């Protein structure tokens, strides 16, 4: 596939859902991708990228930022509290806010620094033990806690279980967002972004369908 194919599919999916394609941000997930592939996508004019590890983002993006204007970086992976300051320096959005301690750390650093990235609360819609995110039953309370800390929560994020129909999870996320008055929905990856758009995604996180398969680790 590639960037322009994905853009076309996003536009088609939005039209089919009676939505404006401009409502859907494409986050190109560049984790583990060779720099040359990332650079090619930058050369094509794309500027919104996602990384799931702060350390990798810190190694990769300052260099690209020297050469390309207007890069917007989204941290989409689990965030340790000792990486929060670095994440907030690097990124314009964090999609993995999922526990009170993390929320309080972000709030404290935001106070000190006078700015805060856009935040998404990650919801573990599949209630999977190994997965990050607040449980659906705890989401309303946690969102309220974030608001009491004056955090700029823009929406919710989920990663559906691999072996289940993702649409059920997207619909659940949309429902939790709606009852909390949140507009942002970060959902949909290479295999399911069209279904996510049908159910209201405002941010799709697409990696391998743009860049190709990630090289094996090692
Ligand atoms: C890797 C990753 C993606 C992108 O996955 P692809 O299947 O390559 O599109 C999206 N979201 C998160 C949180 C990821 O870690």
């Amino acid at each position: 596939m590639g960037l322009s194919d994905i853009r076309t599919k996003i536009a088609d999916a939005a039209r089919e859902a009676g939505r404006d394609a401009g409502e859907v941000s494409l986050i190109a997930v560049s984790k583990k991708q060779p720099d040359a592939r990332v650079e090619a996508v930058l050369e094509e004019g794309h500027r919104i990228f996602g990384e799931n590890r702060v350390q990798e983002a810190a190694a990769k993006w300052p260099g690209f930022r020297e050469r390309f204007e207007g890069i917007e970086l989204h941290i989409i992976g689990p965030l340790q509290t000792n990486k929060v300051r670095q994440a907030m320096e690097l990124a314009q959005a964090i999609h993995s806010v999922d526990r009170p301690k993390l929320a309080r750390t972000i709030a404290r650093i935001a106070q000190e620094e006078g700015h805060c990235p856009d935040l998404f609360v990650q919801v573990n819609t599949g209630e999977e033990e190994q997965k990050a995110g607040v449980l659906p039953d705890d989401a309303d309370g946690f969102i309220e806690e974030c608001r009491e800390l004056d955090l700029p929560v823009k929406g919710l994020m989920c990663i559906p279980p691999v072996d289940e129909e993702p649409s059920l999870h997207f619909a659940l996320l949309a429902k939790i967002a709606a009852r909390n008055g949140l507009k942002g929905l970060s959902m949909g990856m290479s295999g399911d972004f069209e279904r996510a758009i049908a159910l209201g995604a405002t941010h799709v996180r697409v990696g391998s369908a743009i860049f190709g398969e990630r090289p094996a680790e090692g």
Side-chain angles (χ1 to χ4, degrees):
M1 281 196 256
L3 181 65
S4 62
D5 298 310
I6 299 302
R7 284 209 177 120
T8 304
K9 286 177 190 284
I10 288 173
D12 291 347
R15 191 174 332 101
E16 259 172 57
R19 303 180 58 202
D20 188 321
E23 295 170 20
V24 184
S25 290
L26 171 59
I27 301 171
V29 178
S30 48
K31 67 177 183 208
K32 295 187 189 148
Q33 295 289 352
D35 283 355
R37 290 187 190 166
V38 180
E39 186 162 336
V41 169
L42 281 159
E43 293 285 2
E44 283 185 79
H46 196 74
R47 289 294 180 269
I48 308 177
F49 292 85
E51 290 283 345
N52 72 334
R53 300 182 63 189
V54 176
Q55 210 164 342
E56 186 180 342
K60 194 187 290 183
W61 286 97
F64 282 134
R65 279 188 160 134
E66 285 177 12
R67 299 171 45 218
F68 297 91
E69 296 270 330
I71 290 168
E72 189 181 304
L73 197 60
H74 294 240
I75 296 292
I76 61 175
L79 187 56
Q80 294 168 264
T81 48
N82 64 1
K83 296 272 167 53
V84 168
R85 189 177 296 276
Q86 198 177 16
M88 289 172 70
E89 280 165 9
L90 277 168
Q92 282 63 56
I94 295 173
H95 292 236
S96 46
V97 182
D98 67 352
R99 58 197 191 278
K101 187 177 177 208
L102 179 58
R104 287 194 300 271
T105 304
I106 295 172
R108 176 172 52 75
I109 295 171
Q111 281 269 315
E112 289 170 22
E113 302 293 330
H115 73 89
C116 190
D118 288 345
L119 302 177
F120 291 76
V121 167
Q122 183 173 352
V123 182
N124 184 356
T125 55
E127 308 194 22
E128 294 174 278
E129 221 155 275
Q130 79 286 6
K131 203 164 266 177
V134 292
L135 294 173
D137 280 349
D138 298 335
D140 295 2
F142 181 62
I143 293 162
E144 181 57 31
E145 249 182 287
C146 290
R147 286 180 164 149
E148 281 166 7
L149 290 165
D150 278 332
L151 292 177
V153 178
K154 304 294 182 182
L156 305 180
M157 179 272 229
C158 76
I159 307 171
V162 286
D163 53 354
E164 288 182 25
E165 168 52 44
S167 293
L168 302 172
H169 296 270
F170 299 153
L172 173 59
L173 197 73
K175 187 173 146 190
I176 298 170
R179 74 175 181 235
N180 284 283
L182 290 169
K183 295 216 162 59
L185 286 171
S186 169
M187 58 190 197
M189 321 203 316
S190 288
D192 55 22
F193 66 91
E194 288 151 302
R195 279 172 284 179
I197 290 167
L199 289 161
T202 59
H203 295 71
V204 292
R205 309 178 310 267
V206 180
S208 46
I210 294 176
F211 296 102
E213 289 302 320
R214 285 177 284 277
E217 242 168 313

